[in-house]
Structures are given as structure tokens and as C-alpha cells.
Amino acid sequence: MRTNSFRALVLSTCALVATGCDSLFFIEAEAEEICKAEPDVDFPAAFPGTLSIEYSMEFPLGDFDEVLPQDTDVETELRLKGFEVTSSTDLSGIERASVSVVRPGTSESILIGEYRRTNTSPTQSIRLTGSGAVNLLDMAREDALELTFEARGSLPTRDWNARIEACAGVRAKANYFDLVF
């Protein structure tokens, strides 16, 4: 796991009277980039008629939530910076792929990145791009998130192995005004 930057800021957002903002102060925690790589993931050969595969990985948030107040509402967003699958096997048959965050304790997921094949040239790597910042509600308080990768299309008919790397930025913001007064 690699974390390039972590910061917590107490900022004055705006004058309450001048702009009508509902909060004078807030505390913000941000991890600009957290990365996790799994260098040796095995996938089984696809049987004829198999249209998709799925793989889940734990994505650590570490001590990201330690600076957040416990008894306040927290706005959280996650931005996928990159999700890459690299193999020695040809992956050009994969037409679509997605990566989602699974809400803890449920089967509900939030789409955070997608891939669509744009050409038929042989390739051994697919890179999913983020779909923008996604509101994670209060999931920043978790130690880790579950990311689920799903690929669809003409899958390799032999067992194959891949390196998977996920990188994301996480930001959380809590109203500090309620804690002071």
C-alpha cells in the first residue's frame, strides 16, 4: 500500500452572516492517493458461454478516520485514480469492465470506474477510469473498503494470472462548529 499524502485541515469556510452558510468551521481529512497492488491474482479458464468474471479485493483506508469527530455527520467522497489489470494473457476479448465499492454489511455497490474496449488490437492490460467523485456517506470510518472488479466479454479460455493495482483519493468533511458550541 502506498499513501502519498494525508492531511487534516480545520478551515473557515465562510462568514455565517455574509453568505448564509450553515457551518462556520469544518474539519477535512484527505488522502490524495492510496494505492494497493495484488501482484499475483489467479483467474480460472472461462467455460464456453461464460460472459463475466468477478474479483473482490480489500482496499485499505488505514487511520484516515482518526482525525474525524465521532459524533457528527461526515460527508465522504472517493475518486478512483486508476484501476489496472495486467496479464501475460491477451485480454482484448474483454469488452467491458467495472469496479465498484461494496457497502459494508450489504450487497449494495456503488460504481466508481468503468472500461470499454475501443479497438480489437491484442492487449495484455486494461485500465479502468474513474466516473468522478462518489459520495460514500459514512464509509470513511471503515478501516478498509471492498472493491469488486467485474469483466465481461470473451474471456480467456485458459487459466490466467494478473497483477491488479487500484489507486484512489478519499476526502471527508465534518462540521466542526457543532463540536465547539
Side-chain angles (χ1 to χ4, degrees):
M1 180 182 76
R2 175 177 83 224
T3 303
N4 289 341
S5 173
F6 177 76
R7 61 184 169 184
L9 305 170
V10 178
L11 302 171
S12 174
T13 58
C14 59
L16 187 60
V17 177
T19 64
C21 291
D22 61 346
S23 176
L24 183 59
F25 298 100
F26 63 87
I27 186 166
E28 184 176 272
E30 181 175 3
E32 288 184 17
E33 187 171 75
I34 301 170
C35 292
K36 180 180 182 186
E38 293 191 4
D40 197 23
V41 178
D42 292 322
F43 291 95
F47 293 110
T50 303
L51 299 176
S52 69
I53 57 167
E54 203 172 275
Y55 178 77
S56 292
M57 69 187 286
E58 187 175 282
F59 188 77
L61 295 179
D63 58 1
F64 178 76
D65 70 327
E66 284 184 9
V67 297
L68 300 174
Q70 293 300 318
D71 298 328
T72 62
D73 291 332
V74 177
E75 297 173 26
T76 309
E77 69 179 32
L78 178 132
R79 183 178 303 274
L80 183 68
K81 303 258 181 154
F83 192 97
E84 189 163 4
V85 179
T86 306
S87 176
S88 59
T89 302
D90 181 21
L91 300 178
S92 63
I94 295 176
E95 296 171 15
R96 294 176 156 209
S98 65
V99 64
S100 302
V101 174
V102 179
R103 289 195 187 280
T106 72
S107 60
E108 181 186 352
S109 63
I110 302 168
L111 180 70
I112 61 170
E114 293 182 282
Y115 164 84
R116 291 180 194 251
R117 183 178 66 187
T118 56
N119 62 48
T120 57
S121 301
T123 185
Q124 296 175 326
S125 180
I126 58 173
R127 182 167 175 81
L128 288 80
T129 56
S131 54
V134 176
N135 181 2
L136 296 179
L137 300 175
D138 208 20
M139 284 198 267
R141 297 191 190 281
E142 301 293 324
D143 291 332
L145 300 174
E146 181 183 347
L147 298 184
T148 299
F149 166 71
E150 183 181 8
R152 297 182 156 279
S154 178
L155 304 171
T157 56
R158 296 184 187 158
D159 291 348
W160 56 290
N161 185 280
R163 178 183 193 281
I164 296 178
E165 182 175 28
C167 292
V170 182
R171 186 184 71 78
K173 181 178 170 183
N175 185 350
Y176 193 73
F177 190 73
D178 292 338
L179 296 173
V180 177
F181 296 99

